[in-house]
Amino acid sequence: MKSDDNPWQTLASETVYQNPWMTVYEDKVRMPNGREGIYGFVDGKPGVFVIALDKNDDIYLIESFRYPTQKWQWELPTGGIEKGLSPLEAAKHELAEELGMIAAKWTHINTFGPSSNGFMKDTQNVFVAEELSVSSEKPEDFEAIRATKAVSLTQIAGMIKDGTLADGQSLAALMQFVVWRQQLVKIVTN
């Protein structure tokens, strides 16, 4: 869609809240039906998801406590891109910080976003990290990670089915990985 095809008109925009991770806006808008109203949305900083593959092609997950849901959940290593860092630099930092690893081989496979259509404006970069080795970096003191494990795609499918892997952004990143891996196999076999 071209930007001039936008059926919404922004009449005014106000920042109602801001912190280092997000800005919340409330816009006065003219809706496609011609009526005026308000539209609130969150502009989150861009982030990264890391699909860390071990030598058996298993994928590392972390069990992290998420404050908004007040529960532990399995997810991919992830984090925001700090100002001044490239997406790759941020991915390397997250792998070291959350899994205690470094990778000799990195592949940026895709970008997705928004995380939640309708009220979120953000972009997530998905990286595959391979040829892993141990790092000396430790998690930041505010991280709540109680476990890590490497699991096969078959095990991941089971975790999705039984609800133990339910983080929407991790699921989107994993789908990007599955599609990328299928395309890679087609290229190699042709």
Side-chain angles (χ1 to χ4, degrees), residues 11-153:
L11 305 173
S13 184
E14 179 184 355
T15 300
V16 293
Y17 175 78
Q18 188 170 23
N19 69 29
W21 302 277
M22 72 180 103
T23 303
V24 179
Y25 293 95
E26 184 173 283
D27 289 0
K28 184 176 178 186
V29 297
R30 180 165 291 113
M31 296 179 272
N33 64 9
R35 287 186 261 168
E36 290 186 10
I38 60 169
Y39 201 110
F41 67 95
V42 177
D43 190 352
K45 78 170 155 180
V48 296
F49 281 81
V50 179
I51 297 174
L53 295 177
D54 71 9
K55 62 182 183 255
N56 300 317
D57 267 356
D58 289 343
I59 298 171
Y60 279 93
L61 299 175
I62 61 171
E63 189 179 24
S64 180
F65 189 85
R66 291 299 177 183
Y67 181 82
T69 58
Q70 292 291 298
K71 65 181 184 178
W72 292 94
Q73 67 180 27
W74 287 101
E75 61 188 39
L76 292 170
T78 183
I81 301 172
E82 299 297 330
K83 190 174 183 170
L85 290 183
S86 71
L88 177 57
E89 290 167 329
K92 288 179 177 182
H93 174 75
E94 293 303 326
L95 179 66
E97 175 189 297
E98 295 187 357
L99 284 176
M101 296 181 179
I102 57 174
K105 181 178 177 187
W106 286 90
T107 307
H108 182 261
I109 61 171
N110 216 334
T111 303
F112 71 90
S115 298
S116 182
N117 236 352
F119 76 92
M120 194 81 184
K121 180 181 171 186
D122 67 336
T123 303
Q124 304 298 325
N125 295 271
V126 183
F127 287 89
V128 174
E130 298 174 274
E131 301 173 22
L132 304 173
S133 58
V134 177
S135 164
S136 60
E137 193 162 342
K138 301 289 183 218
E140 292 186 24
D141 59 1
F142 65 84
E143 293 280 0
I145 297 171
R146 74 175 176 189
T148 64
K149 65 181 176 180
V151 294
S152 69
L153 275 175

Side-chain angles (χ1 to χ4, degrees), residues 51-53 57-61 76 149-166 170-171 174-175 177-178:
I51 297 174
L53 295 177
D57 267 356
D58 289 343
I59 298 171
Y60 279 93
L61 299 175
L76 292 170
K149 65 181 176 180
V151 294
S152 69
L153 275 175
T154 300
Q155 290 170 304
I156 285 174
M159 292 175 73
I160 292 168
K161 186 176 180 180
D162 72 17
T164 56
L165 177 55
S170 289
L171 297 177
L174 285 163
M175 182 57 77
F177 171 73
V178 168

